[in-house]
Amino acid sequence: MQNVDYIIVGDGYAALFFAHQLTKNKKSFVIFSDGKKSASQISAGIVNPVVLKKFTTFWLAQEQLDFLKISLNEIEKYTGENYLIDASIHRIFHDENEQKLWLKKSQTEELYNFLNKDFRHLEAVKNDFNTGIVKQSARLNVQGFFSDLMKFHENNSQLIKEKFNYHQLNISESTYQDIKFKNVIFCEGMAVKNNPYFSDIQVIPNKGHHIRVRLSKPIPQNITIKKKHFLFPLNEDLYFYGGTYDREQMHAHIDDSAVEQLRIGLSEFYSNDFDIEEVHFGFRPTVKDRRPILGRHAEHKNLYVFNGLGARGILNGCYFSKNLYDFIENNIDLPHEISLDRF
């Protein structure tokens, strides 16, 4: 019988950032990964403190940015890599009114540290009203992050490559197959709807598509361009463009209308030819109040949920992983804003 402090079910941002908390605190654990690419693993990896439609920020934005940098520096110590890419977001303005609104908000206390008041013109794309630069924005090397961390956990015998079977969980004995555990953390994204213990949590699927394109004329390597969606370079001369938001089309295959939406969106500011090489989609777990859901099962006190990260999976997953760890290990109450009990 293997003895561990934690079983983590899932392999997205919530799972891996919580695993980091366990690693730094020398707790034993195993991660169950079914091998399917989660919404986290195909995400854009955008690190952004600003809602770019309204030029507003969100709860604990600066604290989340600061904690992400600390956490990635800690992770670098055992993977040898830092996955934060210094590539600021350049938001293309639609008109002069957006310019004026950006300038006005850049002078407020709330947004002074996030909105650069100096505009920039880009030569590679159409931006008649220039672009606004989001200070402290960046990207995560998503592929490297997941590949390296999964390899690290596998090398340390912490990764179990199989689907977690709820029926083999013996809660009263705190066992799963031949594993004796103290706690189980379910970080399953939308798969939580199949979880008999947390299927009723209020997460809403939001389907997102992105395309990988080959551009006939390159754009600068060290920036992320945003108009309707995000455009930035990947490896092998491919560029990421996306992603869409759809709460209606929930079938598990590509929506042609979403691909067409992305093609038109890119054509609006990139006037050269491009080829769509790949199409990807996933289902983000979102919550009505745009806050994640963390907490303990009402009846089974060694079962926990960490879900609802939405489109800010990196920042939410990183920052709130410590809240969950402190809740379990140090008996520190979860903030009401993220607690399962708020519903």
Side-chain angles (χ1 to χ4, degrees), residues 43-210:
S43 66
I46 302 295
V47 178
N48 174 28
V50 178
V51 179
L52 289 169
K53 191 173 184 179
K54 302 178 181 178
F55 307 153
T56 57
T57 188
F58 49 86
W59 184 52
L60 298 175
Q62 187 63 61
E63 290 86 346
Q64 291 189 46
L65 288 170
D66 294 341
F67 192 75
L68 177 65
K69 291 175 184 176
I70 292 169
S71 298
L72 291 177
N73 285 333
E74 293 169 345
I75 290 171
E76 183 179 7
K77 292 177 181 176
Y78 54 86
T79 67
E81 298 288 338
N82 193 301
Y83 304 99
L84 201 61
I85 301 170
D86 184 12
S88 297
I89 297 170
H90 287 58
R91 164 63 151 82
I92 296 176
F93 293 121
H94 293 82
D95 51 40
E96 289 183 358
N97 289 331
E98 281 197 336
Q99 283 184 330
K100 292 176 182 177
L101 180 61
W102 180 288
L103 275 178
K104 180 181 178 180
K105 294 204 171 186
S106 71
Q107 298 170 34
T108 64
E109 182 179 355
E110 184 182 34
L111 288 155
Y112 175 80
N113 290 324
F114 299 144
L115 300 183
N116 192 325
K117 62 181 177 60
D118 298 321
F119 300 153
R120 180 179 171 188
H121 185 78
L122 300 177
E123 297 298 332
V125 296
K126 184 179 180 183
N127 54 126
D128 295 342
F129 299 95
N130 298 325
T131 68
I133 302 170
V134 180
K135 296 189 284 187
Q136 301 191 66
S137 60
R139 292 200 312 269
L140 189 78
N141 174 0
V142 176
Q143 182 177 350
F145 177 83
F146 282 103
S147 176
D148 291 356
L149 278 173
M150 297 298 271
K151 187 180 299 180
F152 171 80
H153 293 306
E154 184 174 16
N155 290 342
N156 285 278
S157 301
Q158 296 165 329
L159 180 63
I160 299 176
K161 294 181 177 180
E162 61 183 60
K163 187 175 182 179
F164 189 85
N165 187 333
Y166 307 112
H167 302 295
Q168 295 184 13
L169 181 63
N170 188 324
I171 299 172
S172 60
E173 298 291 331
S174 294
T175 60
Y176 177 83
Q177 296 178 353
D178 61 348
I179 302 171
K180 179 81 172 176
F181 62 83
K182 292 181 181 177
N183 302 293
V184 181
I185 315 295
F186 291 105
C187 309
E188 304 166 283
M190 285 313 308
V192 75
K193 288 303 182 182
N194 300 317
N195 185 321
Y197 305 103
F198 291 105
S199 60
D200 60 343
I201 69 167
Q202 298 188 30
V203 290
I204 306 162
N206 188 310
K207 189 175 185 179
H209 287 71
H210 77 257

Side-chain angles (χ1 to χ4, degrees), residues 234-252:
L234 296 165
N235 298 325
E236 300 174 356
D237 300 323
L238 290 180
Y239 291 76
F240 178 108
Y241 185 66
T244 61
Y245 291 85
D246 189 347
R247 288 195 168 97
E248 303 299 327
Q249 303 295 326
M250 292 294 108
H251 47 71

Side-chain angles (χ1 to χ4, degrees), residues 274-322:
F274 62 87
D275 295 314
I276 298 175
E277 301 287 343
E278 302 173 18
V279 180
H280 298 269
F281 70 91
F283 294 91
R284 311 176 188 90
T286 64
V287 187
K288 281 186 178 180
D289 63 6
R290 301 180 184 272
R291 306 270 169 86
I293 299 174
L294 289 75
R296 179 190 288 125
H297 193 277
E299 180 181 351
H300 307 299
K301 302 305 182 182
N302 55 354
L303 302 186
Y304 297 84
V305 68
F306 187 3
N307 209 310
L309 301 189
R312 300 190 189 108
I314 298 168
L315 291 172
N316 282 337
C318 182
Y319 187 82
F320 295 114
S321 64
K322 187 175 189 306

Side-chain angles (χ1 to χ4, degrees), residues 206-225:
N206 188 310
K207 189 175 185 179
H209 287 71
H210 77 257
I211 54 178
R212 300 191 176 194
V213 299
R214 197 173 304 278
L215 305 182
S216 59
K217 184 177 179 181
I219 64 170
Q221 293 290 306
N222 62 337
I223 65 171
T224 298
I225 298 174

Side-chain angles (χ1 to χ4, degrees), residues 248-268:
E248 303 299 327
Q249 303 295 326
M250 292 294 108
H251 47 71
H253 56 79
I254 293 169
D255 295 317
D256 291 338
S257 60
V259 178
E260 180 65 8
Q261 177 186 337
L262 290 168
R263 187 194 66 76
I264 293 172
L266 181 54
S267 299
E268 284 182 3

